[in-house]
Amino acid sequence: MIPGDGIGPEVTQAVVRILDATGVKFEWERYAAGAEAFELHGEYIPAALYESITRNRVALKGPVTTPIGGGFKSINVALRKKFDLYANFRPIRNLPGLETKWPGVNLIVVRENTEGEYVGLEHEVVPGVVESIKVVSEKGSTRIARFAFEYARKHGRRKIHSIHKANIMKLSDGLFLRCARQVAEEFPDIAYGEHIIDNTCMQLVMNPYQYDVLLLENLYGDIVSDLCAGLVGGLGLAPGANLGAECAIFEAVHGSAPDIAGKDLANPTSLLLSAILMLRHLDEEAAAEKAEKALETVYAERKALTRDVGGAAGTSQFADAVLAAMGSLP
Ligand code: NAI
């Protein structure tokens, strides 16, 4: 467990209470990461945290602040790289009781998680000129495409769109597309299409129903998943999983939200939905369903929703309502 900073400790505390009420017995190993870990241990990612994830092969993570325009490198990116968590999986779905412009949205964002601009290769060529290198490999592109197609086949999804800018980034995005097309040939049961990223953003806000599974490189996936979170009610609602061959880290799509941190205002739904993905990953289907049903009841009844979705409840009050819906509030 990495509680994170900003709203991280508040949302993780709420989620741990709910997870404990599912009946699954958790033993949490808790670690700080980022600025807090540096103050405590002189390291941004303590060696003991790496060791814990290597041993347990699964982690639940709150958001961690990354300084903007300087300072230490992103902890999130470092963890994804270290454990080769190449698939970032973000399901986007409406919750009951929430009015949004588009009801019934149900799509999956699959984002390549280890390459692209996020390899962090930036340097100053001469004062006033910097270069930032984007890395796209055949291996990385093929395995994320295969992940998307295998997921689609297993879960009855019918259509995958590769999202790209290969009209401008002819070599890098061109390679990404070539790999996706090759994998698509192995899956004739799943329709395959390609859209340019800028058009995709417009299409998503005009008619999100045309998409089923979106397959994107790292940076495009980062941006489009926030856009998609907005379609279903905001960043407080969108869960995520970082999946690799060896281990998995489950975390919300949103960041540390410094503007509302420490005020008991954060919506823990996104992290709770991520934790529900984690339960399913651990084959704890009954526990996942119990938590999910309770969450949906709270939304359907609209009694204890947080402010970001039009309610007036605090983080802990919302968690109480989910626990009550599970029949677990003392
Ligand atoms: P943010 O996601 O923290 O906040 C954007 C807006 O959404 C804010 O108005 C915030 O109040 C609201 N919001 C986010 N989560 C919410 C929740 N659970 N409930 C209610 N409202 C919520 O994005 P921002 O401000 O761009 O980033 C802040 C910090 O978080 C940065 O240092 C960034 O690097 C870091 N970050 C960390 C991530 C991670 O740990 N996986 C992911 C994204 C950003």
Side-chain angles (χ1 to χ4, degrees), residues 189-200:
D189 47 321
I190 294 162
Y192 175 70
E194 294 171 355
H195 280 174
I196 292 177
I197 177 73
D198 34 354
N199 173 36
T200 304

Side-chain angles (χ1 to χ4, degrees), residues 52-312:
S52 173
I53 296 179
T54 306
R55 184 165 31 82
N56 291 304
R57 300 199 292 132
V58 63
L60 185 63
K61 178 184 162 298
V64 177
T65 303
T66 309
I68 291 171
F72 63 87
K73 285 194 176 174
S74 165
I75 301 303
N76 314 307
V77 172
L79 286 172
R80 292 166 189 167
K81 223 185 261 177
K82 166 82 182 170
F83 293 106
D84 199 20
L85 304 173
Y86 67 92
N88 192 317
F89 173 79
R90 295 176 163 179
I92 302 288
R93 199 167 61 89
N94 285 92
L95 281 161
L98 277 192
E99 241 181 70
T100 56
K101 185 158 192 270
W102 302 107
V105 172
N106 182 357
L107 53 88
I108 304 285
V109 177
V110 174
R111 161 186 170 193
E112 201 293 319
N113 220 11
T114 55
E115 301 193 335
E117 290 83 348
Y118 288 44
V119 291
L121 294 175
E122 291 189 319
H123 58 263
E124 189 172 61
V125 184
V126 291
V129 181
V130 296
E131 278 182 355
S132 176
I133 295 172
K134 164 168 168 165
V135 175
V136 176
S137 74
E138 189 177 322
K139 178 186 165 209
S141 305
T142 301
R143 71 177 174 172
I144 193 66
R146 183 155 282 123
F147 173 92
F149 276 94
E150 281 172 357
Y151 175 85
R153 182 176 274 170
K154 190 165 173 207
H155 296 272
R157 298 270 169 178
R158 307 171 94 95
K159 195 164 49 172
I160 293 185
H161 279 92
S162 281
I163 308 304
H164 67 93
K165 192 76 189 176
N167 49 333
I168 308 295
M169 251 80 68
K170 293 179 194 293
L171 277 184
S172 52
D173 288 17
L175 174 61
F176 187 82
L177 281 187
R178 266 206 316 284
C179 295
R181 283 175 200 156
Q182 259 170 16
V183 175
E185 280 175 18
E186 297 168 29
F187 293 82
D189 47 321
I190 294 162
Y192 175 70
E194 294 171 355
H195 280 174
I196 292 177
I197 177 73
D198 34 354
N199 173 36
T200 304
C201 291
M202 187 272 290
Q203 297 290 346
L204 275 165
V205 297
M206 300 286 286
N207 173 18
Y209 305 124
Q210 64 188 294
Y211 295 113
D212 192 359
V213 178
L214 298 174
L215 170 63
L216 310 98
E217 286 170 46
N218 209 338
L219 176 61
Y220 306 146
D222 196 358
I223 296 167
V224 166
S225 43
D226 274 31
L227 188 159
C228 289
L231 292 175
V232 296
L235 277 173
L237 305 174
N242 301 286
L243 306 166
E246 297 299 325
C247 56
I249 299 181
F250 295 82
E251 65 178 341
V253 169
H254 62 73
S256 53
D259 51 333
I260 56 167
K263 298 180 182 159
D264 196 38
L265 290 177
N267 186 349
T269 301
S270 174
L271 191 67
L272 178 56
L273 287 168
S274 311
I276 290 169
L277 291 176
M278 180 183 77
L279 287 171
R280 296 212 156 97
H281 176 78
L282 297 170
D283 284 332
E284 294 286 357
E285 181 58 35
E289 267 195 29
K290 189 173 174 185
E292 194 169 52
K293 272 213 179 94
L295 177 72
E296 287 180 357
T297 303
V298 170
Y299 272 92
E301 293 177 353
R302 293 194 55 87
K303 272 192 205 143
L305 299 188
T306 47
R307 284 208 322 202
D308 56 310
V309 287

